[in-house]
Amino acid sequence: MKTSYFVFSISDTLWDIAKAEVEKKENLEGNGDGVEVWEKSLLFMGNKNGGKTTIILRCLDRDEIPKPTLALEYTFGRRAKGHNRPKDIAHFWELGGGTSLLDLIRIPITNDNIRTFAIILVLDLSKPNELWPTMDSLLQVTRNHVDKIITKLGKTNPKVATEIKQRMWNNMPKDHPDHELIDPFPIPLVIIGSKYDIFHEFDSEMRKIMCKTLRFVSHYYGASLVFTSKSEALLLKARVLINHLAFGFDRSKSISVDQNKPLFIPAGLDSLNQIGPPPASDSDIGKLHAHTPVDLWKKIYEKTFPPKSTRDLKDVNDPAQDPQYAEYEVDAMRTQKNQELEQYKRNASKSWKEMEFES
């Protein structure tokens, strides 16, 4: 992406954040009624080459050619809700590399922004064998990090920690029959199934298993679910869910659960009764030793779509480590950049005012 979209440049990162903060204050000062600016953060993650950048560009109305995402990238967007009102700000982070850069998840999600953060998980429907391990790895690492932040807040600011825990249930009606049977993700979550145009050509039984499984996972975690592709109409549906989280636009109440059509299910509008039992016979289910509902669905899904391990999904064969390609000057520069990256990751846990600079 251009201009404000960047990769691990300390000065750019700091100045972009500082610039946004200053402009936020200027907007507030220039708006006599004292209306507070809405400021949210979203982290896009998912399969490598799964379409994350395309979705971000569409949400921000940017007519740019998507480029491969390197490590962790950032951009932001602004929207005004009315005439002479300050523009709301949304910070868009994108994690590249599929599941190979899990350590970077902790950089954008901090104590300061946890109350206004959301996760957008983009899963490539054209690669069913990669779907579960990708989803499982990314959500597990993210949840562990968020839980640590909430636990820490519970000691320093119990009121905020309690607020976050209560808000997890906001999208679930109090009289919903599944209230005691699900385990909502600690912060808002949207699951996007990309490349629906390819998925639509799959065998009907394969589509049925994938649809039911994703519906269950989304409902269990209190997430919204939408299928999309490069089609403008489908991208618009994904944009509706994202803009609700990013800019507070109205939440869609429409729903589509037909497996022969693109799914669109806002959080809280599905149910275990509508989803139905896992796609397996009672005898097969009885033979599976599952400890949780999620574990049961995982085992059944993986019988049809044997997973590629997360190790297989990473770039294991790194030519930079191959002795036959050794070049002293290039390798020395790479070592220096790796050290700078580690320094950035250590500094990222501090506020930008406290960051250490090296000449």
Side-chain angles (χ1 to χ4, degrees), residues 82-114:
H83 185 59
N84 287 333
R85 292 178 64 87
K87 289 185 176 180
D88 295 329
I89 301 170
H91 305 279
F92 287 72
W93 295 87
E94 181 182 0
L95 179 69
T99 58
S100 64
L101 298 169
L102 297 175
D103 289 347
L104 302 184
I105 288 174
R106 65 184 177 85
I107 291 177
I109 311 176
T110 67
N111 292 10
D112 296 330
N113 64 18
I114 188 68

Side-chain angles (χ1 to χ4, degrees), residues 92-325:
F92 287 72
W93 295 87
E94 181 182 0
L95 179 69
T99 58
S100 64
L101 298 169
L102 297 175
D103 289 347
L104 302 184
I105 288 174
R106 65 184 177 85
I107 291 177
I109 311 176
T110 67
N111 292 10
D112 296 330
N113 64 18
I114 188 68
R115 286 190 293 176
T116 58
F117 214 98
I119 301 297
I120 312 296
L121 177 64
V122 182
L123 299 173
D124 188 339
L125 296 176
S126 71
K127 299 176 180 177
N129 298 82
E130 295 182 14
L131 190 146
W132 193 283
T134 298
M135 174 178 66
D136 191 43
S137 296
L138 291 168
L139 290 184
Q140 182 177 345
V141 171
T142 303
R143 184 160 204 162
N144 288 343
H145 176 61
V146 171
D147 285 345
K148 287 179 182 178
I149 292 178
I150 296 174
T151 300
K152 184 177 179 181
L153 282 173
K155 299 176 181 178
T156 60
N157 196 335
K159 184 177 179 181
V160 171
T162 300
E163 175 193 327
I164 293 173
K165 292 176 182 177
Q166 290 176 342
R167 201 167 55 209
M168 291 160 48
W169 296 93
N170 279 2
N171 291 322
M172 183 67 63
K174 292 183 179 180
D175 59 349
H176 196 290
D178 301 334
H179 212 276
E180 302 298 324
L181 303 173
I182 64 173
D183 184 20
F185 206 70
I187 55 179
L189 171 65
V190 172
I191 297 178
I192 298 178
S194 64
K195 303 187 182 179
Y196 175 79
D197 50 332
I198 299 175
F199 168 79
H200 187 60
E201 301 301 321
F202 285 3
D203 172 77
S204 62
E205 190 60 26
M206 291 174 62
R207 284 188 282 115
K208 176 184 176 182
I209 294 172
M210 292 178 69
C211 284
K212 291 192 70 169
T213 301
L214 285 174
R215 283 182 65 185
F216 168 78
V217 171
S218 298
H219 182 59
Y220 187 81
Y221 288 134
S224 296
L225 175 64
V226 59
F227 285 0
T228 189
S229 68
K230 292 182 178 180
S231 158
E232 189 65 24
L234 293 186
L235 280 172
L236 182 60
K237 288 190 172 185
R239 179 178 174 176
V240 167
L241 292 175
I242 294 169
N243 279 343
H244 168 67
L245 294 175
F247 300 108
F249 290 173
D250 290 342
R251 181 171 179 261
S252 174
K253 294 182 180 179
S254 65
I255 183 170
S256 174
V257 297
D258 186 346
Q259 70 181 46
N260 296 310
K261 297 179 181 178
L263 297 183
F264 182 84
I265 312 172
L269 298 187
D270 212 344
S271 71
L272 295 177
N273 185 52
Q274 290 177 315
I275 296 169
S281 65
D282 291 341
S283 60
D284 285 341
I285 292 176
K287 295 175 184 176
L288 298 172
H289 301 287
H291 301 290
T292 65
V294 174
D295 193 32
L296 175 62
W297 281 80
K298 174 185 177 181
K299 291 178 182 295
I300 292 172
Y301 181 86
E302 290 180 345
K303 284 192 68 176
T304 304
F305 304 108
K308 287 188 175 182
S309 69
T310 51
R311 175 172 180 157
D312 293 334
L313 301 179
K314 295 180 181 180
D315 297 324
V316 179
N317 298 319
D318 185 358
Q321 306 300 327
D322 194 326
Q324 68 175 313
Y325 299 123

Side-chain angles (χ1 to χ4, degrees), residues 53-70:
T53 306
T54 298
I55 294 170
I56 292 174
L57 289 172
R58 186 65 191 88
C59 286
L60 298 177
D61 292 321
R62 294 184 183 171
D63 186 17
E64 301 175 20
I65 298 175
K67 298 177 182 178
T69 302
L70 304 174

